[in-house]
Amino acid sequence: MASAAGGMEIEQVAAENPNAILKEYITPGMGLSAFQARKLAFQLGLKPRRSTKRCS
Amino acid sequence: MTGLYKAFEETDSSLMEINPFITCSDGRLFALDAKMNFDDNALFRHPDLKELRDVTEEDPLEVEASKYSLNYIKLDGNVGCMVNGAGLAMATMDIIKYAGGIPANFLDVGGGANAEQVTHAFEILLSDKNVKAVLINIFGGILRVDTLARGVVEAANKTNIQLPVVLRLEGTNVEQGREILKESGLNFIVAETMKDAAEKVVAAARS
């Protein structure tokens, strides 16, 4: 689950604005796929060049 | 994100969360805080994580209970309950609520508890000062009712209990169990059914 509506009670976000909660289903045998992680990153509004770059 | 999932899987977590994370103006991402919950039942696979346990951060009664492999969760009410089996314990808490009371705890002594565990369980129950009455609801399957009865009597004598105790016992060796309780000379309230037991203990907690 991911949400750009951070710093708030997530239950409240889910009740008032369910679209702000992003969900991606992970098949245990497959694990989280790269395309799923990318999809979430784009939906969160991270810029493409950002989402491939991360802090260590 | 993939790293988070990998960590989640490798540590047998029940929850892993990064909140909040921020983006810097130069485009870098920072995770500012995180939360991790680990599965107690998988901790034996992670001795390094087990090392991190800080008992001073936990409820002292729950720590005490875990020493004797008892499943004890402290709650806000005043009706203490001791039950064998998690399912029956949940049902007991429900029926206490249904009878108008509030359970003071969840306590599952397990399917095969011995007298010593029962004694410790009783002591833990009574060390919660909010408890005004105690309900012991046991269906003796693997745990024998006479074993339980001996544990209860021993604990009652040891702790010099002043609170009303309601008992609902059923199952293997129930006759011997009742005999032991009768001979103990202690003042227990014996209930026939769960409903009866719940009503009696709630009434006792109110008085």
Side-chain angles (χ1 to χ4, degrees):
Chain A
M1 252 186 281
S3 181
M8 291 172 73
E9 286 295 319
I10 204 71
E11 288 81 5
Q12 201 184 326
V13 176
E16 288 168 8
N17 189 9
N19 292 335
I21 311 279
L22 308 170
K23 289 180 188 170
E24 202 55 47
Y25 294 89
I26 301 171
T27 310
M30 301 284 285
L32 177 70
S33 302
F35 81 89
Q36 291 179 299
R38 271 198 301 275
K39 191 172 154 195
L40 283 175
F42 287 131
Q43 286 178 313
L44 284 172
L46 300 172
K47 295 285 178 292
R49 66 180 174 83
R50 289 183 176 174
S51 50
T52 54
K53 205 173 170 187
R54 64 188 161 85
C55 300
S56 52
Chain B
M1 235 181 277
T2 45
L4 182 71
Y5 182 75
K6 195 163 171 261
F8 169 81
E9 198 178 30
E10 285 176 2
T11 54
D12 292 310
S13 296
S14 54
L15 179 145
M16 208 167 268
E17 172 184 345
I18 296 174
N19 188 16
F21 79 88
I22 55 158
T23 56
C24 303
S25 49
D26 62 3
R28 289 180 303 154
L29 278 176
F30 275 108
L32 290 192
D33 198 4
K35 177 177 174 175
M36 298 173 187
N37 290 354
F38 302 107
D39 182 351
D40 290 349
N41 294 318
L43 268 185
F44 73 97
R45 308 208 308 181
H46 307 283
D48 51 329
L49 294 176
K50 210 172 173 178
E51 289 264 302
L52 299 174
R53 184 175 175 196
D54 181 359
V55 289
T56 59
E57 290 288 316
E58 295 175 33
D59 187 288
L61 289 180
E62 292 180 15
V63 173
E64 186 67 15
S66 69
K67 276 191 217 158
Y68 305 104
S69 332
L70 301 164
N71 295 307
Y72 175 89
I73 309 288
K74 196 177 170 327
L75 301 168
D76 301 329
N78 59 8
V79 180
C81 47
M82 176 157 87
V83 192
N84 68 322
L88 186 59
M90 294 299 283
T92 304
M93 286 162 41
D94 280 347
I95 206 159
I96 289 170
K97 276 261 188 187
Y98 190 71
I102 303 168
N105 66 282
F106 169 92
L107 174 59
D108 168 18
V109 295
N114 55 35
E116 195 202 350
Q117 274 175 300
V118 171
T119 310
H120 287 300
F122 211 61
E123 283 170 2
I124 289 163
L125 251 186
L126 297 178
S127 50
D128 177 355
K129 295 293 165 239
N130 294 329
V131 171
K132 294 282 174 277
V134 177
L135 170 59
I136 300 178
N137 186 11
I138 301 288
F139 184 85
I142 303 167
L143 170 69
R144 303 285 165 96
V145 176
D146 54 331
T147 303
L148 172 102
R150 250 179 243 117
V152 168
V153 169
E154 197 179 304
N157 285 329
K158 216 165 134 190
T159 52
N160 195 17
I161 183 181
Q162 305 296 327
L163 299 171
V165 177
V166 178
L167 290 159
R168 182 256 173 178
L169 306 172
E170 224 36 87
T172 316
N173 293 355
V174 66
E175 287 82 15
Q176 289 100 306
R178 288 200 174 127
E179 202 59 37
I180 290 164
L181 292 169
K182 210 187 284 172
E183 283 168 8
S184 73
L186 293 160
N187 192 17
F188 293 120
I189 305 163
V190 179
E192 296 299 320
T193 62
M194 259 177 88
K195 186 167 176 280
D196 184 33
E199 284 163 1
K200 279 179 173 157
V201 78
V202 170
R206 282 202 184 123
S207 60

Coordinates of all heavy atoms in Angstrom, one line a residue, chain B residues 58-77 79-83 93 103-110 120-131:
Chain B
E58 N 7.7 -3.2 27.4 CA 6.4 -3.9 27.3 C 5.7 -3.9 28.7 O 6.3 -3.6 29.7 CB 6.7 -5.4 26.9 CG 7.3 -5.5 25.6 CD 7.7 -6.9 25.2 OE1 7.1 -7.9 25.7 OE2 8.7 -7.1 24.5
D59 N 4.4 -4.3 28.6 CA 3.6 -4.4 29.8 C 4.2 -5.4 30.8 O 4.4 -6.6 30.3 CB 2.2 -4.7 29.5 CG 1.3 -4.6 30.7 OD1 1.4 -5.5 31.6 OD2 0.5 -3.7 30.8
P60 N 4.6 -5.1 32.0 CA 5.3 -6.0 32.9 C 4.5 -7.3 33.1 O 5.1 -8.4 33.2 CB 5.5 -5.3 34.2 CG 4.7 -4.0 34.1 CD 4.5 -3.7 32.6
L61 N 3.2 -7.2 33.1 CA 2.4 -8.4 33.3 C 2.5 -9.3 32.1 O 2.5 -10.6 32.3 CB 0.9 -8.1 33.6 CG 0.6 -7.4 34.9 CD1 -0.9 -7.1 35.1 CD2 1.0 -8.3 36.1
E62 N 2.5 -8.8 31.0 CA 2.6 -9.6 29.7 C 4.0 -10.2 29.6 O 4.1 -11.3 29.2 CB 2.3 -8.7 28.5 CG 0.9 -8.3 28.5 CD 0.5 -7.4 27.2 OE1 1.3 -7.4 26.3 OE2 -0.5 -6.8 27.3
V63 N 5.0 -9.5 30.1 CA 6.4 -10.1 30.1 C 6.4 -11.3 31.1 O 6.9 -12.4 30.7 CB 7.4 -9.0 30.6 CG1 8.8 -9.7 30.7 CG2 7.5 -7.9 29.5
E64 N 5.8 -11.1 32.3 CA 5.8 -12.2 33.3 C 5.0 -13.4 32.7 O 5.5 -14.5 32.8 CB 5.0 -11.6 34.5 CG 4.9 -12.5 35.7 CD 6.3 -12.8 36.4 OE1 7.2 -12.0 36.1 OE2 6.4 -13.7 37.1
A65 N 3.9 -13.1 32.0 CA 3.2 -14.2 31.4 C 3.9 -15.0 30.3 O 3.9 -16.2 30.2 CB 1.9 -13.7 30.8
S66 N 4.7 -14.2 29.5 CA 5.4 -14.9 28.5 C 6.5 -15.8 29.0 O 6.9 -16.8 28.3 CB 6.0 -13.9 27.5 OG 7.1 -13.1 28.1
K67 N 7.0 -15.6 30.2 CA 8.0 -16.5 30.9 C 7.4 -17.9 31.1 O 8.1 -18.8 31.1 CB 8.4 -15.9 32.3 CG 9.4 -14.9 32.2 CD 9.9 -14.6 33.6 CE 10.3 -13.1 33.8 NZ 10.2 -12.7 35.2
Y68 N 6.1 -17.9 31.3 CA 5.5 -19.2 31.6 C 4.7 -19.7 30.4 O 3.7 -20.5 30.5 CB 4.6 -19.1 32.8 CG 5.3 -18.6 34.0 CD1 5.2 -17.3 34.5 CD2 6.3 -19.5 34.7 CE1 5.9 -16.9 35.6 CE2 7.0 -19.0 35.7 CZ 6.8 -17.7 36.2 OH 7.5 -17.2 37.2
S69 N 5.0 -19.2 29.2 CA 4.3 -19.5 27.9 C 2.8 -19.4 28.1 O 2.0 -20.2 27.6 CB 4.5 -21.0 27.5 OG 5.8 -21.4 27.9
L70 N 2.4 -18.3 28.7 CA 0.9 -18.0 28.8 C 0.6 -16.8 27.8 O 1.5 -15.9 27.7 CB 0.6 -17.5 30.2 CG 0.8 -18.5 31.3 CD1 0.8 -17.8 32.7 CD2 -0.2 -19.7 31.3
N71 N -0.5 -16.9 27.2 CA -0.9 -15.8 26.3 C -1.8 -14.8 27.1 O -2.9 -15.1 27.3 CB -1.6 -16.3 25.1 CG -0.7 -17.2 24.2 OD1 0.4 -16.8 23.8 ND2 -1.2 -18.4 24.0
Y72 N -1.1 -13.8 27.5 CA -1.9 -12.8 28.3 C -1.8 -11.4 27.7 O -0.7 -11.0 27.3 CB -1.2 -12.7 29.7 CG -1.8 -11.7 30.6 CD1 -2.9 -11.9 31.5 CD2 -1.2 -10.4 30.7 CE1 -3.4 -11.0 32.3 CE2 -1.8 -9.4 31.5 CZ -2.8 -9.7 32.3 OH -3.4 -8.8 33.2
I73 N -3.0 -10.8 27.5 CA -3.1 -9.5 27.0 C -3.9 -8.7 28.0 O -5.0 -9.0 28.3 CB -3.7 -9.4 25.6 CG1 -3.1 -10.4 24.6 CG2 -3.7 -8.0 25.0 CD1 -1.8 -10.1 24.1
K74 N -3.3 -7.6 28.5 CA -4.0 -6.8 29.4 C -5.0 -5.9 28.7 O -4.8 -5.3 27.7 CB -3.0 -5.9 30.2 CG -3.6 -5.3 31.4 CD -2.5 -4.5 32.1 CE -3.0 -3.7 33.3 NZ -4.3 -3.1 33.1
L75 N -6.2 -5.8 29.3 CA -7.3 -4.9 28.7 C -7.8 -4.0 29.8 O -7.2 -4.0 30.9 CB -8.4 -5.8 28.2 CG -8.1 -6.8 27.1 CD1 -9.2 -7.8 26.9 CD2 -7.7 -6.1 25.8
D76 N -8.8 -3.2 29.5 CA -9.2 -2.1 30.4 C -10.3 -2.4 31.4 O -10.5 -1.6 32.3 CB -9.7 -0.9 29.6 CG -8.6 -0.4 28.6 OD1 -7.5 -0.5 29.0 OD2 -9.0 0.1 27.5
G77 N -10.9 -3.6 31.3 CA -12.1 -3.8 32.2 C -11.7 -4.3 33.6 O -10.6 -4.2 34.0
V79 N -13.2 -7.5 34.8 CA -13.5 -8.9 35.0 C -12.3 -9.7 34.5 O -12.1 -9.8 33.2 CB -14.8 -9.3 34.2 CG1 -15.1 -10.8 34.4 CG2 -16.0 -8.5 34.6
G80 N -11.6 -10.2 35.4 CA -10.4 -11.0 35.0 C -10.9 -12.4 34.5 O -11.9 -12.9 35.0
C81 N -10.3 -12.9 33.5 CA -10.7 -14.2 33.0 C -9.5 -15.1 32.7 O -8.5 -14.7 32.2 CB -11.7 -14.2 31.8 SG -11.2 -13.1 30.5
M82 N -9.7 -16.4 33.1 CA -8.6 -17.4 32.8 C -9.3 -18.5 32.0 O -10.3 -19.1 32.5 CB -8.0 -17.9 34.1 CG -7.0 -19.0 33.8 SD -5.9 -19.2 35.2 CE -6.7 -20.2 36.2
V83 N -8.8 -18.8 30.8 CA -9.5 -19.7 29.9 C -8.4 -20.6 29.3 O -7.3 -20.2 29.1 CB -10.3 -18.9 28.8 CG1 -11.2 -19.9 28.1 CG2 -11.1 -17.8 29.4
M93 N -14.6 -13.7 26.5 CA -14.6 -12.2 26.5 C -15.8 -11.6 25.9 O -16.4 -10.7 26.4 CB -13.3 -11.7 25.8 CG -12.1 -11.9 26.6 SD -10.5 -11.7 25.7 CE -10.9 -10.4 24.6
P103 N -14.1 -7.2 30.0 CA -13.0 -8.1 30.4 C -11.7 -7.3 30.8 O -11.4 -6.3 30.1 CB -12.7 -9.0 29.2 CG -13.5 -8.4 28.1 CD -14.5 -7.5 28.6
A104 N -11.0 -7.7 31.8 CA -9.8 -7.1 32.2 C -8.6 -7.6 31.4 O -7.5 -7.0 31.5 CB -9.5 -7.3 33.7
N105 N -8.7 -8.7 30.8 CA -7.6 -9.3 30.1 C -8.1 -10.4 29.2 O -9.2 -10.9 29.3 CB -6.6 -9.9 31.1 CG -7.3 -11.1 31.8 OD1 -8.1 -10.9 32.8 ND2 -7.0 -12.3 31.4
F106 N -7.1 -10.8 28.3 CA -7.3 -12.1 27.6 C -6.2 -13.0 28.2 O -5.0 -12.6 28.3 CB -7.0 -11.8 26.1 CG -6.8 -13.0 25.3 CD1 -7.9 -13.5 24.6 CD2 -5.6 -13.6 25.1 CE1 -7.8 -14.7 23.8 CE2 -5.4 -14.8 24.3 CZ -6.5 -15.3 23.7
L107 N -6.6 -14.1 28.6 CA -5.6 -15.1 29.1 C -5.9 -16.5 28.7 O -6.9 -17.1 29.1 CB -5.5 -15.0 30.7 CG -4.6 -16.0 31.3 CD1 -3.2 -15.9 30.9 CD2 -4.6 -15.9 32.8
D108 N -5.0 -17.0 27.9 CA -5.1 -18.3 27.4 C -4.0 -19.1 28.0 O -2.8 -18.9 27.8 CB -5.0 -18.3 25.8 CG -4.8 -19.7 25.3 OD1 -5.1 -20.7 26.0 OD2 -4.4 -19.8 24.1
V109 N -4.4 -20.1 28.9 CA -3.3 -20.9 29.6 C -2.9 -22.0 28.7 O -2.0 -22.8 29.1 CB -3.8 -21.4 30.9 CG1 -4.0 -20.3 31.9 CG2 -5.0 -22.3 30.8
G110 N -3.4 -22.1 27.5 CA -3.0 -23.2 26.6 C -3.8 -24.5 26.8 O -4.4 -24.7 27.8
H120 N 0.7 -19.6 38.2 CA 1.3 -18.3 37.7 C 0.3 -17.5 37.0 O 0.2 -16.3 37.2 CB 2.5 -18.6 36.8 CG 3.7 -19.1 37.5 ND1 4.3 -18.4 38.5 CD2 4.4 -20.2 37.4 CE1 5.3 -19.0 39.0 NE2 5.4 -20.2 38.3
A121 N -0.6 -18.1 36.2 CA -1.6 -17.4 35.5 C -2.5 -16.7 36.5 O -2.9 -15.5 36.3 CB -2.4 -18.4 34.6
F122 N -2.9 -17.4 37.5 CA -3.8 -16.8 38.5 C -3.1 -15.6 39.2 O -3.7 -14.6 39.4 CB -4.1 -17.9 39.5 CG -5.5 -17.7 40.2 CD1 -6.6 -17.8 39.4 CD2 -5.6 -17.6 41.5 CE1 -7.8 -17.6 39.9 CE2 -6.9 -17.4 42.1 CZ -8.0 -17.5 41.3
E123 N -1.8 -15.7 39.5 CA -1.1 -14.6 40.2 C -1.0 -13.4 39.3 O -1.2 -12.3 39.7 CB 0.3 -15.1 40.5 CG 0.4 -16.0 41.7 CD 1.7 -16.6 41.9 OE1 2.6 -16.4 41.1 OE2 1.9 -17.4 42.9
I124 N -0.8 -13.7 38.0 CA -0.7 -12.6 37.0 C -2.0 -11.8 36.9 O -2.1 -10.6 37.0 CB -0.2 -13.1 35.7 CG1 1.2 -13.5 35.7 CG2 -0.4 -12.0 34.6 CD1 1.7 -14.4 34.6
L125 N -3.1 -12.7 36.9 CA -4.5 -12.1 36.8 C -4.7 -11.2 38.0 O -5.2 -10.1 37.8 CB -5.4 -13.3 36.9 CG -6.2 -13.7 35.7 CD1 -7.3 -14.7 36.1 CD2 -6.9 -12.5 35.1
L126 N -4.4 -11.7 39.2 CA -4.7 -10.9 40.4 C -3.8 -9.7 40.6 O -4.2 -8.8 41.4 CB -4.6 -11.9 41.6 CG -5.6 -13.0 41.5 CD1 -5.5 -13.9 42.7 CD2 -7.1 -12.5 41.5
S127 N -2.6 -9.7 40.0 CA -1.8 -8.5 40.2 C -2.3 -7.3 39.4 O -1.8 -6.2 39.6 CB -0.3 -8.9 39.8 OG -0.3 -9.5 38.6
D128 N -3.3 -7.5 38.6 CA -3.9 -6.4 37.9 C -5.0 -5.8 38.9 O -5.9 -6.5 39.3 CB -4.6 -6.8 36.6 CG -5.4 -5.7 36.0 OD1 -5.5 -4.6 36.5 OD2 -5.9 -5.9 34.9
K129 N -4.7 -4.6 39.4 CA -5.5 -4.0 40.5 C -6.9 -3.6 40.0 O -7.8 -3.4 40.9 CB -4.8 -2.8 41.1 CG -3.5 -3.1 41.8 CD -3.7 -4.0 43.0 CE -2.4 -4.6 43.5 NZ -2.5 -6.1 43.6
N130 N -7.1 -3.6 38.7 CA -8.5 -3.3 38.3 C -9.4 -4.4 38.4 O -10.7 -4.3 38.3 CB -8.4 -2.8 36.8 CG -7.7 -1.5 36.6 OD1 -7.7 -0.7 37.5 ND2 -7.0 -1.4 35.5
V131 N -8.9 -5.6 38.5 CA -9.8 -6.8 38.6 C -10.6 -6.8 39.8 O -10.1 -6.8 40.9 CB -8.9 -8.1 38.5 CG1 -9.7 -9.3 38.7 CG2 -8.2 -8.1 37.1

